[in-house]
Amino acid sequence: MVEDNAKTVLVVEDNPANMELAVELLEVRGFRTLQAATAEEGICRAKAERPSLILMDIGLPGMDGLAATRLLKQDAQTAGIPVVALTAQAMEGDREKTLAAGCLGYITKPIDTRTFAQTITLFLSAQRS
Ligand code: MN
């Protein structure tokens, strides 16, 4: 098995504990990570650093993750970067909302530490095929 250690994941998350957990789980599996605590900062970092994948919290202060994803998908510079939603609202209709905004899929919080990094790897594989 070849590890995906060249892959960079941009984590957009305003909750410091969730950010720390996501980053730790990704880095222990060999991913590089970038961090942003707001949608605006996430969009800037996405344009500047072209990550392999963006993990986008939906509940953010100011602009929310769905609006940020729509902007990323409307911009030719970032439209090709897969966005995976991170949402605490595992409610009926949420999957449709994230897909309609342009997300490839979603991960529900609380983060499942056993499957999180593997799920990100699967989203990256899905995007490539
Ligand atoms: Mn949040």
Side-chain angles (χ1 to χ4, degrees), residues 8-125:
T8 299
V9 177
L10 168 60
V11 184
V12 186
E13 168 63 81
D14 63 310
N15 179 291
N18 283 332
M19 173 67 85
E20 188 177 350
L21 179 59
V23 164
E24 183 181 329
L25 290 169
L26 289 167
E27 290 189 348
V28 81
R29 290 286 289 266
F31 289 95
R32 290 183 59 239
T33 61
L34 301 168
Q35 303 179 31
T38 64
E40 291 83 353
E41 186 188 354
I43 289 167
C44 283
R45 297 209 79 176
K47 287 181 184 176
E49 306 186 58
R50 309 297 310 272
S52 311
L53 183 143
I54 300 169
L55 187 63
M56 180 71 78
D57 181 27
I58 297 306
L60 292 167
M63 188 193 306
D64 71 22
L66 293 176
T69 299
R70 284 191 285 270
L71 287 177
L72 288 165
K73 292 299 161 183
Q74 286 163 12
D75 188 324
Q77 272 184 284
T78 52
I81 304 171
V83 178
V84 174
L86 188 57
T87 177
Q89 311 134 10
M91 288 161 54
E92 196 75 19
D94 267 26
R95 178 176 170 79
E96 288 69 24
K97 275 187 221 165
T98 61
L99 297 181
C103 292
L104 184 59
Y106 73 102
I107 292 173
T108 54
K109 290 191 275 193
I111 289 170
D112 184 338
T113 57
R114 297 162 304 166
T115 59
F116 178 71
Q118 181 62 25
T119 302
I120 296 295
T121 300
L122 288 171
F123 277 121
L124 280 164
S125 306

